[in-house]
Amino acid sequence: MKKLFYLITIVAFTLTSCDTNEVYNLTTELTDSIANAVDPEMIQLGKKRENPYSVENIRKAYQTLLADGKLRTPINIQATNLYVRFLPKTEEEYQTLKKQGFELFDYPLEYERIEGGSYYHDPSLPKDGFTWIYVVLPVDYVFGDIKYEIISELVLQDESEASSISAQKVKAIDSNYWSLIEEKSFELTNNEYYSRKKSTNGMMKAKVKPSGKITLDDDVLGIEIGIEGVKVRASRWFTAKYGYTKSDGSYTFDYTFSGPVDYSLVWEREDWDIRNGFWAQASYNGPNTVTNSWSVKINNSNIQFVYANVHRACFTYWFNISSFGIKTPPKDSFWSPRVKIGVYDTAGRAYASPLLRWLTIPSICIYSYAKYDDGSTVKRTSADIYQTTIHELAHTSHWEIDKDLFWSIDDILVESWAVGVAYEIPRSIYPVSYLSWRDWQHVDKSTIINKHEKKYTPIIIDLMDVTNQRIGRDTTQFTNDNVDGYTLQQIENAIKKAKTLDGLKNNLKSMYDNPTEGHLDELFRFYTSL
């Protein structure tokens, strides 16, 4: 939890696999990283499959059905969609693609994928840049300046994947005829595992309405908890849909697929984007050709644990912060790009730099392991990851409150505000004794100076709590805290336009009537004299 870097000083996770066609209520329990993989988190591609939805193969399937006498109706088969890949050069180009509303993939859809992994980067491209982005577009899509390649013209039946023009072409094919054509194309292209024909147990494969539950084994609370707001994606070749989990982690799609689907988790929402490192979209590449529900149980054995806890903190700060009365971090808009959070499966010190939101690299970085001054490292717990993320998001929110002044605000005010927020919010979930920075009620002056760099202080906590650190201690090393009763909301309001601790104190005096106000000078004097 580090003071924000200035722009000029920027420096540069075996998952249990189930891929049978006869899956029912499949549960993936994330245990270990993939064995013997060059990069345990890189999605591993299998063989390239022949595209059953290409115009050529759909026409071939139709002609075969005509020849077999199973179809007699003339059908004019035309392309409804385009399968395309883009190669953005900048964050601006990448966000342009994101905001167009099409579902983006960082891996080619025509390849088989082995379950596991959290990102894909084309090995033919430099690692320090964007990878190819794959997407299905309407056939009349108007291309701009972003580099692209049209891989294939497609015939799809789902009208929601098409434009108003191509939707008319979809409607031209009767749904019963389309089912025959689609099944025949699966057969001719050796993709029968996506077919709805009878399976090995003699039963007809049912349509799939995606559902399931995404949960976390919380290593601090010692219980399995639901993860709210997770984006779950289900796809069947080129038709992709998504849903979000409820407060208990459960999800049910509004859409029903005509046959088996591929599942995945995508760690993003409208206002934030969790990444594997600098560039890659953080995700979990789930099982393929699933015929019913899919549930995931995440524990602390791999990077998905970090993604999940970072997501929990983000969801709290953007969606559930109203009970604390403070402002959310910036929301995604034309003038304010979404917050990018880079997660690294190494040891390091988390930091935030809000201005980086306008650049390609993440503006917040979170590490799987904490690194201490003596060089030792320790794996972060769920509470630690959650609290650290809240701390860094508090910086981003602070910047949103005071854009004009932010870079001239004293470090001690910037960091103390984040300390207070990252104490108050997590303790509504976790016992204070399990928080990484938990002993604020007993911290003395020498600790603040020598360990906390004279800028990480509990003054925001002191303004709210009823604990006086000096009681029972006959020493001036502890603050004589006779102040209490201020709320996080009041303190946030008073921070606006304050560049120093004294500025915050004066704003509190002028803005609020508090019975302990007369002790503010003594409390603030302890910290300003460090």
Side-chain angles (χ1 to χ4, degrees):
M1 289 169 278
K2 191 174 184 180
K3 172 69 172 82
L4 295 82
F5 287 170
Y6 285 84
L7 195 59
I8 59 174
T9 62
I10 297 168
V11 291
F13 320 62
T14 299
L15 303 177
T16 302
S17 177
C18 304
D19 56 2
T20 173
N21 285 341
E22 314 305 317
V23 173
Y24 184 80
N25 294 332
L26 176 66
T27 296
T28 297
E29 184 165 356
L30 306 190
T31 53
D32 304 305
S33 58
I34 301 171
N36 302 320
V38 175
D39 181 347
E41 292 310 315
M42 178 83 152
I43 294 174
Q44 305 298 306
L45 300 183
K47 69 178 182 180
K48 185 176 182 179
R49 308 171 296 187
E50 188 174 357
N51 178 3
Y53 292 99
S54 70
V55 173
E56 295 80 7
N57 282 328
I58 291 296
R59 285 174 177 167
K60 185 184 298 184
Y62 170 65
Q63 292 298 330
T64 301
L65 290 169
L66 283 178
D68 292 344
K70 295 181 178 180
L71 275 181
R72 294 184 174 84
T73 304
I75 300 176
N76 181 19
I77 295 173
Q78 301 179 56
T80 62
N81 296 83
L82 301 174
Y83 173 39
V84 177
R85 68 177 188 173
F86 290 95
L87 187 59
K89 300 188 297 292
T90 66
E91 182 67 24
E92 182 181 9
E93 289 190 345
Y94 180 64
Q95 293 301 329
T96 296
L97 294 175
K98 284 261 190 182
K99 292 179 179 180
Q100 290 179 352
F102 302 108
E103 194 64 20
L104 307 181
F105 297 81
D106 58 5
Y107 52 80
L109 302 179
E110 66 271 28
Y111 281 82
E112 293 180 347
R113 298 178 306 284
I114 300 170
E115 181 182 354
S118 62
Y119 78 98
Y120 182 77
H121 192 96
D122 192 315
S124 68
L125 295 173
K127 291 185 177 180
D128 60 346
F130 287 103
T131 190
W132 286 102
I133 303 297
Y134 298 81
V135 61
V136 177
L137 302 171
V139 72
D140 53 352
Y141 178 85
V142 179
F143 292 91
D145 296 329
I146 305 173
K147 181 178 179 180
Y148 70 95
E149 294 178 4
I150 297 177
I151 301 172
S152 179
E153 292 186 332
L154 306 175
V155 183
L156 301 178
Q157 183 69 356
D158 184 0
E159 292 182 38
S160 66
E161 302 290 333
S163 68
S164 57
I165 295 175
S166 53
Q168 298 305 313
K169 299 176 182 178
V170 173
K171 291 179 179 179
I173 304 177
D174 180 272
S175 60
N176 292 322
Y177 296 161
W178 170 255
S179 294
L180 289 173
I181 296 170
E182 183 182 41
E183 290 291 332
K184 178 56 68 175
S185 189
F186 282 145
E187 176 188 331
L188 295 177
T189 59
N190 296 313
N191 283 292
E192 291 185 274
Y193 40 81
Y194 279 101
S195 168
R196 290 190 63 233
K197 289 183 177 179
K198 290 182 180 180
S199 55
T200 54
N201 64 6
M203 300 294 289
M204 184 71 75
K205 297 176 187 175
K207 293 183 177 181
V208 179
K209 185 180 181 66
S211 63
K213 195 169 188 178
I214 313 301
T215 59
L216 172 76
D217 267 345
D218 193 302
D219 57 351
V220 170
L221 298 177
I223 58 175
E224 183 180 353
I225 61 174
I227 313 175
E228 186 175 7
V230 181
K231 180 179 178 180
V232 183
R233 182 165 65 193
S235 60
R236 179 173 163 84
W237 272 91
F238 301 107
T239 298
K241 306 294 177 182
Y242 61 87
Y244 295 108
T245 56
K246 300 176 182 178
S247 58
D248 64 350
S250 65
Y251 68 91
T252 302
F253 281 32
D254 294 329
Y255 183 86
T256 300
F257 290 83
S258 60
V261 299
D262 304 340
Y263 280 104
S264 60
L265 305 180
V266 186
W267 297 107
E268 67 169 357
R269 291 297 299 255
E270 296 82 359
D271 300 312
W272 72 85
D273 185 8
I274 303 173
R275 296 187 178 180
N276 180 294
F278 270 16
W279 314 96
Q281 172 66 58
S283 63
Y284 177 69
N285 173 48
N288 301 325
T289 62
V290 181
T291 58
N292 211 288
S293 66
W294 177 57
S295 296
V296 183
K297 184 178 180 181
I298 301 171
N299 60 36
N300 66 356
S301 61
N302 56 73
I303 197 73
Q304 298 295 327
F305 182 76
V306 186
Y307 295 153
N309 284 295
V310 170
H311 167 86
R312 290 174 62 220
C314 289
F315 193 85
T316 296
Y317 220 135
W318 265 279
F319 288 93
N320 293 331
I321 206 67
S322 59
S323 61
F324 298 94
I326 61 176
K327 300 182 186 301
T328 67
K331 294 182 177 292
D332 181 50
S333 67
F334 178 80
W335 299 108
S336 177
R338 69 171 68 183
V339 175
K340 301 180 292 295
I341 304 171
V343 171
Y344 302 83
D345 197 17
T346 57
R349 188 173 177 178
Y351 71 85
S353 185
L355 277 179
L356 293 183
R357 286 170 43 228
W358 280 267
L359 300 181
T360 300
I361 62 179
S363 59
I364 293 176
C365 290
I366 304 293
Y367 295 84
S368 297
Y369 296 81
K371 186 173 184 179
Y372 297 102
D373 293 338
D374 62 1
S376 63
T377 63
V378 63
K379 190 177 182 66
R380 293 188 184 275
T381 65
S382 56
D384 192 8
I385 299 165
Y386 182 89
Q387 183 182 25
T388 300
T389 306
I390 292 290
H391 181 105
E392 305 307 337
L393 288 172
H395 287 320
T396 305
S397 181
H398 192 174
W399 179 89
E400 185 74 2
I401 295 168
D402 254 336
K403 299 183 183 72
D404 298 336
L405 294 179
F406 189 78
W407 298 110
S408 61
I409 300 174
D410 284 357
D411 287 358
I412 190 172
L413 179 55
V414 170
E415 291 300 342
S416 295
W417 166 248
V419 165
V421 175
Y423 177 86
E424 189 69 5
I425 295 175
R427 77 188 187 97
S428 66
I429 301 173
Y430 295 103
V432 172
S433 59
Y434 287 97
L435 297 179
S436 57
W437 287 22
R438 57 184 177 268
D439 204 25
W440 289 117
Q441 309 290 8
H442 305 94
V443 66
D444 59 16
K445 181 178 291 187
S446 63
T447 301
I448 296 173
I449 293 173
N450 299 317
K451 183 179 179 181
H452 297 323
E453 306 170 20
K454 299 200 324 186
K455 57 186 178 182
Y456 299 90
T457 82
I459 190 168
I460 304 300
I461 302 169
D462 291 341
L463 291 168
M464 297 183 289
D465 68 12
V466 296
T467 300
N468 187 336
Q469 290 95 311
R470 190 174 291 184
I471 292 180
R473 299 182 179 91
D474 186 18
T475 174
T476 57
Q477 280 292 306
F478 292 87
T479 180
N480 189 25
D481 176 15
N482 290 300
V483 179
D484 62 68
Y486 288 98
T487 67
L488 208 55
Q489 181 180 31
Q490 289 175 330
I491 300 168
E492 183 184 65
N493 291 338
I495 274 181
K496 186 174 178 63
K497 301 304 179 184
K499 298 174 65 174
T500 65
L501 287 181
D502 282 336
L504 171 60
K505 178 190 67 176
N506 293 333
N507 286 349
L508 286 171
K509 287 182 176 181
S510 64
M511 295 172 67
Y512 302 105
D513 291 324
N514 183 294
T516 65
E517 181 181 299
H519 300 287
L520 282 174
D521 288 335
E522 182 181 16
L523 175 65
F524 275 78
R525 191 180 306 118
F526 178 85
Y527 294 108
T528 57
S529 64
L530 293 174

